[in-house]
Amino acid sequence: MLTLFGNLHSGNVHKVQMILGTRRLPFRRVDVRQDRDEPRHPAFLRINPMGKVPALALENGEILTESGAILFYFARDTPLWPHHLRCQAEVLRWMFFEQYSHEPALAVLRYLKLFSPSAPAPEARIAELTQKSQFVLDVMNTRLEALPWIAGPVPTIADYALYPYTKLANEAGLPIAYWPRISAWLWRVEQLPGVAPVYQDRAIEVVAFAEYFDPR
Ligand SMILES: N[C@@H](CCC(=O)N[C@@H](CS)C(=O)NCC(=O)O)C(=O)O
């Protein structure tokens, strides 16, 4: 069976849950928590030397990491990955936007607000990330005025990539209702077959970090 390493608070991990749900692939989940620094634990670094979740162990024991690469791996032979080169480039364009502009603003802002309240980030950092987050949400909202899905007329893995941290924008202090096209798109994404909303666990079994890495 597939084994997903990661926790439900991670939007990057959720992308993997989305694609495995769409493909109706059962998986177990090993709970690897960022707030306990588990992605940097030596045992986990043997799974992913990059020290990040998600990581996915395939049936043959090979490990896949990077949420975008995992989305591609499971979508390549489905309509979520288009045939035409130009359409493929469009999907990648939005996936790179997610990794370089969207996630680094929204996910980091949410993390600072939600998971490090005891060590508040400097106001200037919060203000900068808030401004960047609003900008990327404006970009998406404008895009979705013209098209139902982010990369074109049909859903693709670009929608999967952008869904989690957009949905979690509320937790970053940005009420998503302010962006009506995005709100409608989030709803459409959640109606796609097999797609679970954020925080919903699709694993058929959950294994604690200590139990998996230090069984006694
Ligand atoms: N580009 C990576 C980013 C993964 C990532 O940033 N994961 C976070 C959790 S959402 C993490 O594991 N952070 C642990 C750390 O940086 O120590 C992907 O898309 O998979």
Side-chain angles (χ1 to χ4, degrees):
M1 195 196 308
L2 298 167
T3 303
L4 171 61
F5 296 86
N7 65 86
L8 297 185
H9 284 90
S10 161
N12 289 313
V13 171
H14 191 71
K15 296 172 201 170
V16 180
Q17 289 220 86
M18 291 169 75
I19 194 69
L20 296 182
T22 300
R23 297 299 309 262
R24 310 249 175 248
L25 290 167
F27 64 95
R28 68 174 170 164
R29 185 170 65 79
V30 177
D31 202 44
V32 182
R33 283 178 49 173
Q34 202 178 346
D35 58 346
R36 291 203 291 239
D37 226 13
E38 289 169 348
R40 302 295 163 117
H41 189 286
F44 181 75
L45 289 175
R46 284 195 283 278
I47 303 277
N48 182 11
M50 296 176 187
K52 303 269 185 198
V53 291
L56 186 74
L58 304 178
E59 313 258 359
N60 65 4
E62 282 183 27
I63 306 288
L64 282 181
T65 72
E66 288 296 319
S67 59
I70 299 171
L71 286 175
F72 171 74
Y73 184 86
F74 288 100
R76 203 184 69 95
D77 53 356
T78 78
L80 293 168
W81 178 250
H83 284 298
H84 295 288
L85 179 64
R86 177 65 186 90
C87 300
Q88 291 174 351
E90 197 59 24
V91 173
L92 289 176
R93 185 164 84 98
W94 288 97
M95 290 177 77
F96 289 131
F97 164 79
E98 190 268 340
Q99 285 283 286
Y100 194 72
S101 303
H102 177 275
E103 194 255 20
L106 277 164
V108 176
L109 182 60
R110 169 178 173 261
Y111 187 82
L112 292 176
K113 290 200 169 180
L114 219 57
F115 299 107
S116 52
S118 57
E123 268 179 40
R125 175 96 172 114
I126 296 288
E128 181 203 345
L129 288 171
T130 302
Q131 187 266 326
K132 286 183 171 171
S133 297
Q134 285 167 338
F135 179 78
V136 295
L137 292 173
D138 287 345
V139 168
M140 287 180 68
N141 201 66
T142 303
R143 173 73 170 173
L144 292 165
E145 279 169 7
L147 289 163
W149 304 97
I150 209 77
V154 294
T156 67
I157 49 172
D159 298 287
Y160 283 47
L162 282 159
Y163 165 78
Y165 288 113
T166 307
K167 176 76 180 189
L168 294 167
N170 289 321
E171 294 183 356
L174 296 160
I176 206 67
Y178 180 82
W179 291 271
R181 299 295 179 155
I182 293 181
S183 301
W185 167 81
L186 288 172
W187 184 85
R188 284 196 294 281
V189 173
E190 289 171 355
Q191 308 316 304
L192 293 171
V195 167
V198 287
Y199 288 124
Q200 198 178 99
D201 204 348
R202 280 300 185 94
I204 58 172
E205 183 194 353
V206 179
V207 185
F209 187 91
E211 193 187 329
Y212 183 86
F213 287 104
D214 189 18
R216 284 172 204 282

